[in-house]
Amino acid sequence: MQKVDVLNKISKNGIMAVIRGKSEEIAYKTAVSCIIGGIKGIEVTFTAPNADKIICKLKEDYPNDTELCIGAGTVLDSVSARIAIMAGADFIVSPSFNKEVALLCNLYQVPYIPGCMTVTEIQTAMTYGADIVKVFPGKILGKDFVSAVKAPLPQVNIMPTGGVSIDNMQEWFDKGVVAVGAGSNLTAPADEGDYDKVIENARDYCNEFEEISSAKIK
């Protein structure tokens, strides 16, 4: 999948499901539940056991879904990044910026989305080719941080993660973000084995994003 195609799909899909899990099975089932619910951006974090195998299996299970983007999250080093890319990851997400990861992703033409907390970090990430930066943790930095950053850097594409919910999605997009990362607010029921609730949550997120997108068009 070409880098520009992945970036366009992330923006079009609007929602990135952040998949964790105490076991490979739980993480996999959580990801599948989000997909069934309509979410097309899936970030399998490397805190989940055998995350690379989960990515590989998801890619094998959904070969014909042209809108689906499956990537790796919590990637801390270039070794993990390469493992994820070899498993078929469409994008790489990190909680912080790492120069070696950025260079590796550029080499393989895979989008790199690093977590940043300051304008300096964001500028550095952009210099090393990050097309989207993850404002993290979003709950602490807040929505006004997006406005403050986009004043001197209007060209930056921002995806907040942490503290994003259905109730505040509209506010984030009003600030100009290109997508949002949804974690425990979306997937928490999976911890109790309630995957039907995860599917329901995913549908609610997708419906809310559709309403936000429709309002923008009007």
Side-chain angles (χ1 to χ4, degrees):
M1 193 179 298
Q2 293 294 314
K3 182 178 182 181
V4 66
D5 291 337
V6 175
L7 292 168
N8 286 337
K9 287 174 184 177
I10 290 173
S11 179
K12 180 182 178 182
N13 296 335
I15 302 166
M16 184 76 71
V18 182
I19 307 299
R20 303 188 186 279
K22 296 178 181 179
S23 71
E24 180 180 341
E25 180 183 11
I26 291 173
Y28 173 77
K29 287 183 176 180
T30 303
V32 170
S33 298
C34 289
I35 294 170
I36 292 172
I39 293 179
K40 299 294 186 177
I42 304 295
E43 175 193 330
V44 181
T45 67
F46 262 59
T47 55
N50 301 315
D52 57 320
K53 293 182 181 179
I54 298 170
I55 292 169
C56 188
K57 182 167 174 52
L58 289 170
K59 298 284 286 187
E60 290 175 350
D61 290 348
Y62 296 92
N64 300 319
D65 191 335
T66 58
E67 296 301 315
L68 188 61
C69 288
I70 299 169
T74 321
V75 176
L76 305 179
D77 54 67
S78 59
V79 174
S80 301
R82 191 175 188 282
I83 290 172
I85 292 170
M86 293 303 103
D90 295 320
F91 57 86
I92 300 294
V93 183
S94 298
S96 58
F97 173 74
N98 182 284
K99 182 175 71 174
E100 286 72 28
V101 174
L103 294 174
L104 182 77
C105 288
N106 284 340
L107 176 63
Y108 287 99
Q109 283 294 285
V110 172
Y112 176 46
I113 308 174
C116 298
M117 290 185 71
T118 68
V119 173
T120 298
E121 289 176 353
I122 291 173
Q123 183 175 337
T124 300
M126 292 171 68
T127 300
Y128 279 91
D131 295 285
I132 299 175
V133 296
K134 179 175 76 168
V135 166
F136 177 77
K139 185 175 183 179
I140 295 175
L141 294 171
K143 305 170 196 70
D144 289 337
F145 179 76
V146 176
S147 302
V149 169
K150 288 184 77 69
L153 297 172
Q155 73 274 28
V156 65
N157 294 314
I158 292 175
M159 181 182 76
T161 298
V164 175
S165 66
I166 291 177
D167 295 332
N168 64 29
M169 273 177 61
Q170 175 79 61
E171 298 171 46
W172 283 108
F173 280 103
D174 285 346
K175 292 295 184 180
V177 303
V178 297
V180 295
S184 58
N185 286 324
L186 166 65
T187 64
D191 295 337
E192 308 300 324
D194 191 352
Y195 298 104
D196 287 339
K197 182 59 177 177
V198 176
I199 294 172
E200 181 184 333
N201 287 347
R203 286 174 178 155
D204 289 341
Y205 268 85
C206 290
N207 289 336
E208 177 66 14
F209 178 67
E210 188 174 338
E211 289 185 16
I212 293 170
S213 300
S214 298
K216 283 185 178 181
I217 294 173
K218 294 178 181 178

